[in-house]
Structures are given as structure tokens and as C-alpha cells.
Amino acid sequence: MSTKIDMTPMVDLAFLLLTFFMLTTTFAKPNVMQLTMPVKDKNLTDEEQTKIKASQAVTIILGPENKVFYYFGLNEPNDKSVPQPEVKTTDFSANGIRQILLARQKQEPEPIILIMPLSGKAVPEDKQSKYKNMVDILDEMNITNQKKYALVDIPAKDVDLLKKLNLI
């Protein structure tokens, strides 16, 4: 009589159990926000680029120290028929920019949000917005279910407006 134990069935069972649990468990899916970026065509002129209506526009400027500057419409300092926008200041709290976006969504069903981080050579380094502010505003866009928003570089006319109002 042999004292050896045949391990083949036990190894076979172990691999069957391993395969069963691997196929039946659900893996944690990463939580990422879907971001669709337009194709950048360098051949487009200013006239061919998409224009938005001032009545639909909400301009959000990410400022220093977790401040958010916003105004409704577009800033057109060269067009004298368009009044200077009334720039207001808020923050990222639940009663801050979120409530403003929800209220605007009730007034205008499909607002177009222009998000401008305060950065670049025209802005001193201590007055520039932080990366955290960009993440926070993108979270707010997702929470308030905004359909159309754009991340754009801040034009000099908006930097000049903020400087004129002593906000930066």
C-alpha cells in the first residue's frame, strides 16, 4: 500500500474555484468624468468659429484664493452698444457658484458656460487660479448637469475688466 496522496484533484479544484471567483466578481470601475474635446482646426478664421449668443452666455473666471468671478453675457469693450458686464464674486460652497448655475439654468434652459482660469503672463503669479479650482468647477458642471461649457483662455479684455474693478 502506498502512502502518497494524489494532489491532482485538489489542484484541479483550486483552479476551478479561482476561475469561478475571478469571473463572478465585479471589479471597481474608476469614477471618471467623460470630457468631450472638440477638434482644433487651425485653418478656421474668426468668422468661421462658433459664435454664442450673449443671452445664453455665463462667463466664469476662476480667481485667486478660491474666489469665483462671474457675469452674465459677454464682455465686448469695443462695442459701445453692449454695456459693461456686472462682475460678481462668489466661491465654491454649496450656496456659491452651484446656486448661481442652478438659478441661471431655470432662467435660460441651455446656458453656455465659459470657464476661464485666471492665468498667463498678464496676471501676477500670486493672483492666478489653482488647479484645484479647475477640478472644483468641473465638478460643479457635473453636479448641476450643465450640458454646454467650454474651457477657454482668459482674453486680455477680461483681465483688464478685473483690474479696472480692483478684483485682482
Side-chain angles (χ1 to χ4, degrees), residues 143-154:
I143 290 168
T144 58
N145 199 23
Q146 299 296 326
K147 301 283 188 242
K148 294 181 180 180
Y149 56 92
L151 305 174
V152 295
D153 293 330
I154 188 163

Side-chain angles (χ1 to χ4, degrees), residues 117-132:
L118 199 56
S119 61
K121 294 177 182 158
V123 182
E125 183 134 348
D126 63 328
K127 301 291 184 184
Q128 294 185 4
S129 61
K130 305 290 183 233
Y131 180 75
K132 176 188 177 300

Side-chain angles (χ1 to χ4, degrees), residues 31 33 35 62 66 92 97-98 115 117 129-143 149 151:
N31 285 337
M33 188 168 63
L35 195 62
L62 305 176
N66 298 323
F92 290 102
I97 194 68
R98 183 178 306 166
I115 302 169
S129 61
K130 305 290 183 233
Y131 180 75
K132 176 188 177 300
N133 299 135
M134 180 62 74
V135 173
D136 289 343
I137 198 68
L138 289 176
D139 284 343
E140 293 298 330
M141 294 295 116
N142 201 20
I143 290 168
Y149 56 92
L151 305 174

Side-chain angles (χ1 to χ4, degrees), residues 1 4 12 22 38-39 43 52-53 57 66-67 85 97 123-125 130-131 135 138-139 141 156 160 164:
M1 203 154 180
K4 291 184 179 179
D12 201 23
M22 281 179 62
V39 177
N43 298 329
I52 62 172
K53 289 191 241 174
N66 298 323
K67 291 182 189 169
I97 194 68
V123 182
E125 183 134 348
K130 305 290 183 233
Y131 180 75
V135 173
L138 289 176
D139 284 343
M141 294 295 116
D160 293 341
K164 182 177 160 185

